[in-house]
Amino acid sequence: MTVGTEPKQDRSRATRRRLLDTTVRCLATHGWESATVGLIAAETGISRGAVQHHFPTREALIVAALRHMFDERMALLDAIAEPDPGHAGAERVHAIVSQIVDLMGGELFKAALQVWTAAAADADLRTTVVPLERHFGRAAHARVVRLLGVDDSDPQLRGLVQATLDLARGLALADVLTDDSRRRAWVVRAWSDRLADALEPS
Amino acid sequence: MTVGTEPKQDRSRATRRRLLDTTVRCLATHGWESATVGLIAAETGISRGAVQHHFPTREALIVAALRHMFDERMALLDAIAEPDPGHAGAERVHAIVSQIVDLMGGELFKAALQVWTAAAADADLRTTVVPLERHFGRAAHARVVRLLGVDDSDPQLRGLVQATLDLARGLALADVLTDDSRRRAWVVRAWSDRLADALEPS
């Protein structure tokens, strides 16, 4: 690498990253149909030509944004805090489940939902989406198993870890059209208590 | 009503119903963008003019289809079978949860998902969708409470009924891009066992 090209490459990488973040935000806020290259370029503050320099087609941009969302969600999984050792039993389980539910929702979910829904009617897009989702699903399962200290060879406990991830997905969906945060907090509490009970039968 | 007009009205009602069923199927199969009045007319086997006779705009047709999906889901709620009295405890809970999960998924979910996702970025559509969803959510909660024989004044048990509906929604979403039926059966079993435990502590 020659001196002088690096700053240019850094700038290019930074623009690419900004472009992908804006694509995620546009999908979440404006929806699939409205998240056009023109809108995304305008909201990133660059020209359409600059977008096309990074991604020749809208499809390429959307697929890159999908991989970007996947990377972000994987990083969030890694960043889940180990609960305070002072928290035991139900409190510990609640701290973990709350973080998983937060991670599975929010803007990343809203953007991903737009892509999944388009992929439901688009076989080509599905071939990109499905392996990423499978990979994320396995990583999320492994992370929850480790955080909860669950015996993953027990089919009942494996099933409850899966159910917790499905619950998180259902709660994320319930938050798309209205702010569901108050109901969600109460559901997460009820679920965590049952899960804690299953992990440490009294 | 004069003799002779009734058959015509019956035919009109039957066409309207067929049109709405086709709209639901088109949304579920072809997605939001592709489910145009032209496609829906062709798949119903009527002219675009005949569609416009019933619904002057695509928006009117989509909103009517949304109400139709709501009516269908309410009818499915009413049609949930009381479990065989021979089934007690976990078997009884499993029979009820399985039916709820089936009812919340399938083609009606896939079609509704297309509308919800569009509504996420469309405030006008949201004002139609949100009250229908709230109404359905309350009816589903009341039905599950009655079927399970839960004390609905207990906040923990209310939370678990809500969690069961959220789980069903999450499972429905997991089935949109791939056939998830095998995993789903195992997750439903694991959760039903926990729920049965909560309802009848040993």
Side-chain angles (χ1 to χ4, degrees):
Chain A
M1 191 184 296
T2 58
V3 177
T5 61
E6 213 188 9
K8 193 175 165 190
Q9 285 184 351
D10 282 353
R11 271 204 309 279
S12 176
R13 252 199 303 274
T15 303
R16 189 180 188 280
R17 160 108 208 188
R18 212 147 47 81
L19 188 50
L20 294 176
D21 284 336
T22 309
T23 305
V24 170
R25 190 162 37 79
C26 282
L27 282 167
T29 311
H30 302 292
W32 176 259
E33 270 186 273
S34 300
T36 59
V37 172
L39 178 72
I40 293 163
E43 299 233 337
T44 313
I46 62 178
S47 68
R48 288 176 67 105
V51 175
Q52 279 155 0
H53 169 73
H54 289 275
F55 305 102
T57 62
R58 177 179 187 249
E59 201 198 332
L61 174 59
I62 295 280
V63 167
L66 196 66
R67 290 184 194 285
H68 180 62
M69 289 184 239
F70 170 76
D71 293 341
E72 296 276 294
R73 287 194 294 164
M74 291 294 274
L76 287 172
L77 267 188
D78 287 339
I80 293 180
E82 290 277 348
D84 190 314
H87 287 177
E91 278 317 303
R92 183 181 166 78
V93 169
H94 182 255
I96 294 166
V97 172
S98 297
Q99 288 186 82
I100 287 287
V101 166
D102 286 349
L103 177 162
M104 302 274 281
E107 191 176 73
L108 283 173
F109 177 84
K110 286 174 188 166
L113 182 66
Q114 294 290 333
V115 182
W116 297 333
T117 303
D122 180 336
D124 283 346
L125 192 53
R126 259 200 313 276
T127 63
T128 307
V129 174
V130 168
L132 286 174
E133 283 307 311
R134 197 166 283 148
H135 191 157
F136 177 76
R138 274 198 292 259
H141 181 93
R143 188 82 179 110
V144 176
V145 162
R146 204 161 57 243
L147 285 163
L148 290 174
V150 164
D151 174 7
D152 201 32
S153 68
D154 179 330
Q156 166 76 2
L157 293 181
R158 277 183 70 83
L160 289 177
V161 169
Q162 286 284 303
T164 301
L165 295 170
D166 286 305
L167 173 75
R169 205 180 290 116
L171 287 168
L173 188 55
D175 196 54
V176 167
L177 299 185
T178 53
D179 177 357
D180 191 43
S181 49
R182 281 186 60 188
R183 190 191 67 93
R184 185 170 62 245
W186 161 61
V187 171
V188 165
R189 172 61 69 182
W191 182 275
S192 301
D193 286 351
R194 290 321 299 164
L195 185 57
D197 233 53
L199 300 181
E200 297 179 52
S202 52
Chain B
M1 190 186 294
T2 58
V3 179
T5 62
E6 213 185 9
K8 194 174 165 191
Q9 285 184 350
D10 283 352
R11 271 203 310 279
S12 175
R13 252 199 302 273
T15 303
R16 189 178 187 280
R17 161 109 209 188
R18 212 147 48 82
L19 187 50
L20 294 176
D21 284 335
T22 309
T23 304
V24 171
R25 190 161 38 78
C26 283
L27 283 167
T29 311
H30 302 291
W32 176 259
E33 271 187 272
S34 300
T36 59
V37 171
L39 177 73
I40 294 163
E43 299 232 338
T44 314
I46 63 178
S47 68
R48 288 176 69 104
V51 175
Q52 280 155 358
H53 169 73
H54 290 275
F55 305 103
T57 62
R58 177 179 187 249
E59 201 199 331
L61 174 58
I62 296 280
V63 167
L66 196 66
R67 290 185 193 282
H68 180 62
M69 289 184 239
F70 169 78
D71 292 341
E72 296 276 294
R73 287 194 294 164
M74 292 293 274
L76 286 171
L77 268 187
D78 287 340
I80 292 179
E82 290 277 347
D84 190 314
H87 288 177
E91 277 317 302
R92 183 182 165 78
V93 170
H94 182 255
I96 293 166
V97 172
S98 298
Q99 288 185 84
I100 287 288
V101 166
D102 287 349
L103 177 161
M104 301 274 282
E107 190 176 74
L108 282 174
F109 177 84
K110 287 175 188 165
L113 181 66
Q114 295 290 333
V115 182
W116 296 333
T117 304
D122 179 337
D124 282 346
L125 192 52
R126 261 201 311 276
T127 62
T128 307
V129 174
V130 168
L132 286 174
E133 283 308 310
R134 197 164 283 148
H135 191 158
F136 177 75
R138 274 200 291 261
H141 181 94
R143 187 81 179 110
V144 175
V145 163
R146 205 162 54 244
L147 285 164
L148 290 175
V150 164
D151 174 6
D152 201 32
S153 68
D154 178 331
Q156 166 76 4
L157 294 181
R158 277 183 70 83
L160 292 178
V161 169
Q162 287 285 302
T164 301
L165 295 170
D166 286 304
L167 173 69
R169 205 182 290 117
L171 288 168
L173 188 55
D175 197 54
V176 167
L177 299 185
T178 53
D179 176 357
D180 191 44
S181 48
R182 281 185 61 188
R183 190 190 68 92
R184 185 169 63 245
W186 161 61
V187 171
V188 165
R189 171 61 69 181
W191 175 244
S192 300
D193 286 352
R194 292 318 303 164
L195 186 58
D197 233 52
L199 299 181
E200 295 179 51
S202 51

